[in-house]
Amino acid sequence: MKGFAHIFYIGTDPTTDQPDTILAKTINLQQGENSSFIKFEQEMEDYDIIVRTEDFRGYFVQSKEWKDIKSYQTEKFPEDQLKVTCPSSVEDDDAKIGLKYLTDGDDRGYQAAKGKYDQYYTFVMGPFGVGKNLDIDLGQAKVLASVRIYAQCCTKESYNDIFNMSYANLLPNEVTIYGSNDGEKWTQIGHHYESADAGSGQWYSTYGLVNRFNPLSYDDLSQIPTPVYLDVTFSISDNSYRYVRVVPNSVFIDNPYMPNRQQYVTMQELEVYTKK
């Protein structure tokens, strides 16, 4: 299974104020069952959806349309109400690496852009953070929709020994999400997987914004319309959970010449979305 799926909806062309087919998202197809939430710029109660597929050579494969699809309304759970614990969190005050930076609202790397050369203002799990868990207490049971994991945009060319000059080697390519109401019995509610070998469609590859070349300034970051993130989405359900567990199962091999031997995992920001 190789190729792309282009997701369109019937909306309104802002320049002509006439009905038009608008591209919402292009996704890299993976073998097996998967799901993705797509936020449309034009909010409506229901949508006419068109999915068109093509192969990697750009040849059209198939098109299908669904009419009157009801929108699924979600909202971001307040970050200041997330109680996050992670026994494997790297805590380094000098380098500005720690758990507190995971939910501070900086989804691009603004603080790192303003900070000193060796200050990163980000979150890292490790050493050997792969397979370890990060737990979130919402304080109340909620119907969960997705967990969003951000990557830091390029704010520096070089990193310390943890990052080893290859930031993407620390980003997760496979993540499993669990829910619980007692913090002891866990139910898998979400999973994301893509090949660890870097290609052209990995989730962090958006416009090359995380590559460690040509560092972005604070003003550059402000001009980015959409930060770089991975949405791990859940099947629609009325089940509610108070606790969320995030487990990065593996990381990308973006630069095999700079291996992540100690299996560090990084996330710039983490958000939880729930059903309205």
Side-chain angles (χ1 to χ4, degrees):
M1 176 64 70
K2 295 181 179 180
F4 300 98
H6 305 290
I7 316 299
F8 300 87
Y9 68 98
I10 306 301
T12 302
D13 186 329
T15 60
T16 63
D17 204 31
Q18 297 295 316
D20 196 5
T21 302
I22 301 173
L23 177 64
K25 188 175 183 180
T26 296
I27 60 176
N28 185 15
L29 294 175
Q30 299 287 336
Q31 187 172 4
E33 184 177 344
N34 208 336
S35 62
S36 177
F37 277 109
I38 301 173
K39 181 176 176 57
F40 298 144
E41 292 184 5
Q42 299 177 12
E43 294 188 4
M44 294 180 279
E45 289 295 323
D46 50 63
Y47 296 88
D48 292 345
I49 308 294
I50 301 170
V51 178
R52 296 173 182 164
T53 55
E54 67 177 53
D55 62 20
F56 282 137
R57 297 172 296 175
Y59 291 109
F60 169 79
V61 178
Q62 190 176 3
S63 179
K64 188 172 182 179
E65 181 176 356
W66 291 264
K67 292 184 176 292
D68 301 322
I69 302 301
K70 297 294 181 182
S71 61
Y72 187 75
Q73 301 294 324
T74 66
E75 59 186 353
K76 183 173 73 173
F77 194 85
E79 291 172 310
D80 59 359
Q81 295 182 28
L82 297 175
K83 298 178 181 178
V84 186
T85 57
C86 182
S88 60
S89 173
V90 175
E91 299 295 325
D92 187 332
D93 290 338
D94 293 334
K96 305 300 182 186
I97 297 175
L99 184 60
K100 65 182 179 181
Y101 300 111
L102 184 61
T103 56
D104 63 356
D106 185 355
D107 59 9
R108 290 169 172 81
Y110 291 113
Q111 297 178 88
K114 283 187 171 182
K116 297 179 181 178
Y117 175 80
D118 56 353
Q119 293 180 335
Y120 311 107
Y121 296 90
T122 195
F123 167 75
V124 177
M125 297 171 64
F128 304 104
V130 168
K132 300 294 179 62
N133 58 284
L134 181 157
D135 292 343
I136 306 165
D137 181 0
L138 303 179
Q140 56 184 303
K142 301 286 289 185
V143 177
L144 303 174
S146 66
V147 166
R148 181 172 294 182
I149 297 170
Y150 290 83
Q152 185 181 96
C153 296
C154 178
T155 59
K156 292 175 171 63
E157 287 186 350
S158 299
Y159 274 83
N160 61 7
D161 292 340
I162 290 178
F163 294 92
N164 198 21
M165 297 293 292
S166 186
Y167 176 81
N169 277 359
L170 281 71
L171 293 172
N173 71 297
E174 182 177 7
V175 181
T176 304
I177 311 292
Y178 302 87
S180 174
N181 281 307
D182 58 10
E184 296 182 1
K185 182 180 179 182
W186 296 91
T187 301
Q188 181 176 323
I189 56 176
H191 182 257
H192 173 88
Y193 169 80
E194 55 189 279
S195 174
D197 295 325
S200 59
Q202 59 271 22
W203 69 264
Y204 67 81
S205 64
T206 308
Y207 309 119
L209 291 173
V210 307
N211 292 335
R212 300 294 112 177
F213 306 103
N214 301 320
L216 302 172
S217 67
Y218 184 93
D219 290 338
D220 291 333
L221 294 176
S222 302
Q223 299 302 314
I224 297 173
T226 304
V228 181
Y229 61 84
L230 163 67
D231 262 335
V232 184
T233 57
F234 314 141
S235 298
I236 294 177
S237 169
D238 290 328
N239 295 330
S240 60
Y241 299 97
R242 171 175 172 171
Y243 301 97
V244 182
R245 171 165 287 180
V246 180
V247 179
N249 306 110
S250 59
V251 291
F252 285 101
I253 308 174
D254 179 74
N255 187 345
Y257 301 103
M258 295 289 184
N260 178 9
R261 298 187 188 281
Q262 292 190 292
Q263 297 185 338
Y264 285 103
V265 181
T266 190
M267 304 176 193
Q268 173 64 18
E269 190 76 7
L270 184 143
E271 295 173 344
V272 176
Y273 287 79
T274 62
K275 181 181 179 181
K276 282 187 177 179

